[in-house]
Amino acid sequence: MIRRRTHNRFIRILEAILEKSKFFSKAYTRFFTKMTLNEFDIAELPNEARILVIGCGPVPHTLTILGSETNWKITGIDKDEKAVKKAKEMIKKDKLENNIEIKYEDGLTVDLSKY
């Protein structure tokens, strides 16, 4: 439990830095691009896949990586309104709003049937 709290605290600090710095945000995304694509490649998803990322946070790097590299329709949700607002801003800056949607929603109650 302590490790989980420490990890979550670290992620919040990292996201706060990344959301304020375009340079660090882009570097972080580049660093994780290959790993993210490899992880999703294992699933062998079709070209028309609909992906849901629960807890996308204010810096939705998984979404931006997938949105830049695939034709999938991607939805990111978060139950933190501030995170949703910032994530939407990032998606818009990256001009990915055509295939990425960010919603204010709780992962415990979201309808998973369309993903």
Side-chain angles (χ1 to χ4, degrees), residues 3-35:
R3 284 185 185 165
R4 178 95 174 142
R5 280 185 289 201
T6 302
H7 173 266
N8 290 345
R9 202 171 295 134
F10 173 75
I11 294 299
R12 280 190 213 101
I13 291 167
L14 179 61
E15 286 177 340
I17 294 167
L18 294 175
E19 75 183 57
K20 289 180 175 81
S21 169
K22 186 174 183 174
F23 173 79
F24 287 121
S25 180
K26 294 295 181 189
Y28 181 88
T29 300
R30 278 192 305 276
F31 181 78
F32 283 103
T33 295
K34 185 175 180 182
M35 180 189 67

Short mmCIF file of all heavy atoms in Angstrom, two decimals, residues 3-35:
data_model
loop_
_atom_site.label_atom_id
_atom_site.label_comp_id
_atom_site.label_asym_id
_atom_site.label_seq_id
_atom_site.Cartn_x
_atom_site.Cartn_y
_atom_site.Cartn_z
N ARG A 3 3.92 1.55 -1.18
CA ARG A 3 4.55 1.66 -2.50
C ARG A 3 3.58 2.27 -3.50
O ARG A 3 3.96 3.08 -4.32
CB ARG A 3 5.01 0.30 -3.00
CG ARG A 3 6.25 -0.19 -2.34
CD ARG A 3 6.70 -1.47 -2.97
NE ARG A 3 7.83 -1.99 -2.25
CZ ARG A 3 8.27 -3.21 -2.37
NH1 ARG A 3 7.67 -4.05 -3.19
NH2 ARG A 3 9.31 -3.62 -1.69
N ARG A 4 2.33 1.85 -3.44
CA ARG A 4 1.31 2.37 -4.35
C ARG A 4 1.12 3.87 -4.15
O ARG A 4 1.05 4.63 -5.10
CB ARG A 4 0.00 1.61 -4.13
CG ARG A 4 -1.13 2.09 -4.97
CD ARG A 4 -1.23 1.24 -6.19
NE ARG A 4 -2.39 1.61 -6.94
CZ ARG A 4 -2.41 1.64 -8.23
NH1 ARG A 4 -1.36 1.30 -8.91
NH2 ARG A 4 -3.49 1.99 -8.86
N ARG A 5 1.02 4.29 -2.90
CA ARG A 5 0.85 5.72 -2.62
C ARG A 5 2.06 6.51 -3.08
O ARG A 5 1.93 7.60 -3.63
CB ARG A 5 0.59 5.95 -1.13
CG ARG A 5 -0.85 5.69 -0.74
CD ARG A 5 -1.04 6.06 0.69
NE ARG A 5 -0.33 5.05 1.47
CZ ARG A 5 -0.56 4.77 2.73
NH1 ARG A 5 -1.45 5.46 3.40
NH2 ARG A 5 0.08 3.82 3.36
N THR A 6 3.24 5.98 -2.86
CA THR A 6 4.47 6.65 -3.28
C THR A 6 4.51 6.75 -4.80
O THR A 6 4.85 7.80 -5.36
CB THR A 6 5.71 5.89 -2.76
OG1 THR A 6 5.62 5.82 -1.34
CG2 THR A 6 6.99 6.58 -3.15
N HIS A 7 4.16 5.67 -5.46
CA HIS A 7 4.12 5.66 -6.92
C HIS A 7 3.13 6.69 -7.44
O HIS A 7 3.44 7.47 -8.34
CB HIS A 7 3.74 4.26 -7.42
CG HIS A 7 3.52 4.20 -8.89
ND1 HIS A 7 2.27 4.34 -9.47
CD2 HIS A 7 4.39 4.05 -9.93
CE1 HIS A 7 2.38 4.27 -10.77
NE2 HIS A 7 3.65 4.09 -11.08
N ASN A 8 1.93 6.73 -6.88
CA ASN A 8 0.91 7.68 -7.31
C ASN A 8 1.36 9.12 -7.09
O ASN A 8 1.12 9.99 -7.92
CB ASN A 8 -0.42 7.43 -6.60
CG ASN A 8 -1.07 6.15 -7.06
OD1 ASN A 8 -0.70 5.58 -8.08
ND2 ASN A 8 -2.03 5.68 -6.30
N ARG A 9 2.01 9.38 -5.98
CA ARG A 9 2.52 10.71 -5.68
C ARG A 9 3.60 11.10 -6.71
O ARG A 9 3.61 12.22 -7.21
CB ARG A 9 3.10 10.74 -4.27
CG ARG A 9 3.17 12.13 -3.68
CD ARG A 9 3.54 12.12 -2.21
NE ARG A 9 2.51 11.47 -1.40
CZ ARG A 9 2.75 10.57 -0.46
NH1 ARG A 9 3.97 10.23 -0.16
NH2 ARG A 9 1.77 10.03 0.23
N PHE A 10 4.48 10.17 -7.02
CA PHE A 10 5.52 10.41 -8.01
C PHE A 10 4.91 10.73 -9.38
O PHE A 10 5.34 11.67 -10.06
CB PHE A 10 6.45 9.20 -8.13
CG PHE A 10 7.44 9.31 -9.25
CD1 PHE A 10 8.53 10.16 -9.16
CD2 PHE A 10 7.25 8.59 -10.41
CE1 PHE A 10 9.43 10.28 -10.20
CE2 PHE A 10 8.14 8.70 -11.47
CZ PHE A 10 9.23 9.54 -11.37
N ILE A 11 3.90 9.97 -9.78
CA ILE A 11 3.24 10.19 -11.07
C ILE A 11 2.60 11.57 -11.11
O ILE A 11 2.69 12.29 -12.11
CB ILE A 11 2.21 9.08 -11.36
CG1 ILE A 11 2.91 7.73 -11.56
CG2 ILE A 11 1.34 9.43 -12.56
CD1 ILE A 11 3.88 7.69 -12.72
N ARG A 12 1.96 11.98 -10.03
CA ARG A 12 1.33 13.31 -10.00
C ARG A 12 2.39 14.42 -10.15
O ARG A 12 2.17 15.40 -10.85
CB ARG A 12 0.54 13.50 -8.70
CG ARG A 12 -0.80 12.84 -8.75
CD ARG A 12 -1.67 13.24 -7.56
NE ARG A 12 -2.50 12.12 -7.21
CZ ARG A 12 -2.28 11.28 -6.21
NH1 ARG A 12 -1.28 11.47 -5.40
NH2 ARG A 12 -3.08 10.27 -5.98
N ILE A 13 3.53 14.25 -9.51
CA ILE A 13 4.61 15.23 -9.62
C ILE A 13 5.14 15.26 -11.05
O ILE A 13 5.33 16.32 -11.65
CB ILE A 13 5.74 14.93 -8.61
CG1 ILE A 13 5.25 15.19 -7.18
CG2 ILE A 13 6.98 15.76 -8.92
CD1 ILE A 13 6.17 14.64 -6.11
N LEU A 14 5.36 14.08 -11.61
CA LEU A 14 5.86 13.98 -12.99
C LEU A 14 4.87 14.62 -13.96
O LEU A 14 5.27 15.38 -14.85
CB LEU A 14 6.09 12.51 -13.36
CG LEU A 14 6.58 12.24 -14.77
CD1 LEU A 14 7.93 12.91 -15.02
CD2 LEU A 14 6.67 10.75 -15.02
N GLU A 15 3.59 14.33 -13.80
CA GLU A 15 2.58 14.92 -14.69
C GLU A 15 2.54 16.44 -14.57
O GLU A 15 2.35 17.14 -15.56
CB GLU A 15 1.21 14.32 -14.41
CG GLU A 15 1.08 12.90 -14.92
CD GLU A 15 -0.25 12.25 -14.58
OE1 GLU A 15 -0.94 12.73 -13.64
OE2 GLU A 15 -0.60 11.28 -15.26
N ALA A 16 2.72 16.95 -13.36
CA ALA A 16 2.73 18.41 -13.16
C ALA A 16 3.88 19.04 -13.93
O ALA A 16 3.73 20.11 -14.52
CB ALA A 16 2.83 18.74 -11.67
N ILE A 17 5.02 18.38 -13.95
CA ILE A 17 6.18 18.89 -14.70
C ILE A 17 5.91 18.78 -16.21
O ILE A 17 6.13 19.73 -16.95
CB ILE A 17 7.46 18.12 -14.32
CG1 ILE A 17 7.84 18.40 -12.87
CG2 ILE A 17 8.61 18.46 -15.28
CD1 ILE A 17 8.88 17.46 -12.31
N LEU A 18 5.41 17.64 -16.63
CA LEU A 18 5.20 17.39 -18.06
C LEU A 18 4.14 18.30 -18.66
O LEU A 18 4.27 18.75 -19.80
CB LEU A 18 4.83 15.93 -18.30
CG LEU A 18 5.92 14.91 -17.99
CD1 LEU A 18 5.39 13.50 -18.14
CD2 LEU A 18 7.14 15.13 -18.85
N GLU A 19 3.08 18.57 -17.90
CA GLU A 19 2.01 19.39 -18.46
C GLU A 19 2.42 20.85 -18.64
O GLU A 19 1.83 21.58 -19.42
CB GLU A 19 0.73 19.29 -17.63
CG GLU A 19 0.76 20.04 -16.33
CD GLU A 19 -0.50 19.86 -15.52
OE1 GLU A 19 -0.86 18.72 -15.19
OE2 GLU A 19 -1.12 20.88 -15.19
N LYS A 20 3.48 21.26 -17.96
CA LYS A 20 3.94 22.64 -18.06
C LYS A 20 5.09 22.81 -19.05
O LYS A 20 5.44 23.92 -19.41
CB LYS A 20 4.37 23.14 -16.68
CG LYS A 20 3.20 23.35 -15.75
CD LYS A 20 3.66 23.84 -14.41
CE LYS A 20 2.52 24.18 -13.50
NZ LYS A 20 1.91 23.08 -12.84
N SER A 21 5.69 21.72 -19.48
CA SER A 21 6.85 21.81 -20.34
C SER A 21 6.65 21.01 -21.63
O SER A 21 6.61 19.78 -21.61
CB SER A 21 8.09 21.26 -19.61
OG SER A 21 9.16 21.12 -20.51
N LYS A 22 6.55 21.71 -22.73
CA LYS A 22 6.41 21.04 -24.02
C LYS A 22 7.64 20.18 -24.32
O LYS A 22 7.52 19.06 -24.80
CB LYS A 22 6.20 22.07 -25.12
CG LYS A 22 5.90 21.46 -26.45
CD LYS A 22 5.56 22.51 -27.49
CE LYS A 22 5.20 21.83 -28.79
NZ LYS A 22 4.73 22.77 -29.78
N PHE A 23 8.82 20.68 -23.99
CA PHE A 23 10.05 19.93 -24.24
C PHE A 23 10.06 18.59 -23.50
O PHE A 23 10.29 17.54 -24.09
CB PHE A 23 11.28 20.77 -23.83
CG PHE A 23 12.56 19.99 -23.89
CD1 PHE A 23 13.19 19.78 -25.10
CD2 PHE A 23 13.13 19.45 -22.74
CE1 PHE A 23 14.38 19.04 -25.17
CE2 PHE A 23 14.31 18.72 -22.79
CZ PHE A 23 14.93 18.52 -24.02
N PHE A 24 9.82 18.63 -22.18
CA PHE A 24 9.84 17.40 -21.39
C PHE A 24 8.68 16.47 -21.76
O PHE A 24 8.83 15.25 -21.77
CB PHE A 24 9.83 17.70 -19.89
CG PHE A 24 11.13 18.24 -19.38
CD1 PHE A 24 11.20 19.49 -18.78
CD2 PHE A 24 12.31 17.52 -19.52
CE1 PHE A 24 12.39 20.00 -18.32
CE2 PHE A 24 13.52 18.01 -19.07
CZ PHE A 24 13.56 19.27 -18.47
N SER A 25 7.55 17.04 -22.08
CA SER A 25 6.40 16.24 -22.49
C SER A 25 6.71 15.46 -23.77
O SER A 25 6.44 14.27 -23.87
CB SER A 25 5.18 17.14 -22.69
OG SER A 25 4.07 16.38 -23.07
N LYS A 26 7.27 16.14 -24.76
CA LYS A 26 7.63 15.49 -26.02
C LYS A 26 8.73 14.44 -25.82
O LYS A 26 8.69 13.37 -26.41
CB LYS A 26 8.06 16.52 -27.07
CG LYS A 26 6.95 17.45 -27.51
CD LYS A 26 5.86 16.71 -28.22
CE LYS A 26 4.77 17.66 -28.66
NZ LYS A 26 3.61 16.98 -29.17
N ALA A 27 9.70 14.75 -24.98
CA ALA A 27 10.79 13.80 -24.70
C ALA A 27 10.23 12.54 -24.03
O ALA A 27 10.61 11.42 -24.37
CB ALA A 27 11.85 14.45 -23.81
N TYR A 28 9.33 12.73 -23.09
CA TYR A 28 8.70 11.60 -22.39
C TYR A 28 7.93 10.73 -23.38
O TYR A 28 8.04 9.50 -23.37
CB TYR A 28 7.76 12.15 -21.31
CG TYR A 28 7.05 11.12 -20.49
CD1 TYR A 28 7.64 10.60 -19.34
CD2 TYR A 28 5.79 10.67 -20.84
CE1 TYR A 28 6.98 9.65 -18.58
CE2 TYR A 28 5.14 9.73 -20.07
CZ TYR A 28 5.72 9.23 -18.95
OH TYR A 28 5.07 8.28 -18.19
N THR A 29 7.18 11.39 -24.27
CA THR A 29 6.41 10.65 -25.27
C THR A 29 7.32 9.87 -26.19
O THR A 29 7.09 8.69 -26.46
CB THR A 29 5.53 11.62 -26.09
OG1 THR A 29 4.63 12.29 -25.19
CG2 THR A 29 4.72 10.88 -27.13
N ARG A 30 8.38 10.50 -26.68
CA ARG A 30 9.33 9.79 -27.55
C ARG A 30 9.95 8.59 -26.85
O ARG A 30 10.11 7.53 -27.44
CB ARG A 30 10.43 10.75 -28.03
CG ARG A 30 10.02 11.59 -29.21
CD ARG A 30 11.21 12.31 -29.85
NE ARG A 30 11.96 13.15 -28.92
CZ ARG A 30 11.65 14.39 -28.59
NH1 ARG A 30 10.60 14.97 -29.11
NH2 ARG A 30 12.39 15.07 -27.74
N PHE A 31 10.28 8.76 -25.57
CA PHE A 31 10.90 7.69 -24.80
C PHE A 31 9.98 6.46 -24.73
O PHE A 31 10.45 5.33 -24.82
CB PHE A 31 11.23 8.19 -23.40
CG PHE A 31 11.90 7.17 -22.53
CD1 PHE A 31 13.23 6.87 -22.68
CD2 PHE A 31 11.17 6.50 -21.55
CE1 PHE A 31 13.86 5.92 -21.88
CE2 PHE A 31 11.78 5.55 -20.74
CZ PHE A 31 13.12 5.26 -20.90
N PHE A 32 8.68 6.68 -24.58
CA PHE A 32 7.75 5.57 -24.39
C PHE A 32 7.04 5.11 -25.66
O PHE A 32 6.27 4.16 -25.62
CB PHE A 32 6.71 5.94 -23.32
CG PHE A 32 7.26 5.83 -21.93
CD1 PHE A 32 7.62 6.97 -21.24
CD2 PHE A 32 7.44 4.60 -21.33
CE1 PHE A 32 8.15 6.88 -19.96
CE2 PHE A 32 7.98 4.50 -20.06
CZ PHE A 32 8.33 5.64 -19.37
N THR A 33 7.30 5.74 -26.79
CA THR A 33 6.57 5.40 -28.01
C THR A 33 6.75 3.94 -28.41
O THR A 33 5.78 3.21 -28.61
CB THR A 33 6.98 6.34 -29.17
OG1 THR A 33 6.57 7.67 -28.84
CG2 THR A 33 6.34 5.92 -30.48
N LYS A 34 7.98 3.49 -28.54
CA LYS A 34 8.22 2.12 -29.00
C LYS A 34 7.62 1.10 -28.03
O LYS A 34 6.97 0.14 -28.45
CB LYS A 34 9.73 1.87 -29.17
CG LYS A 34 10.02 0.51 -29.75
CD LYS A 34 11.49 0.31 -30.03
CE LYS A 34 11.71 -1.06 -30.61
NZ LYS A 34 13.10 -1.36 -30.86
N MET A 35 7.81 1.30 -26.74
CA MET A 35 7.27 0.37 -25.75
C MET A 35 5.74 0.32 -25.82
O MET A 35 5.15 -0.76 -25.82
CB MET A 35 7.70 0.78 -24.35
CG MET A 35 7.16 -0.14 -23.26
SD MET A 35 7.44 0.48 -21.59
CE MET A 35 6.38 1.91 -21.56
#
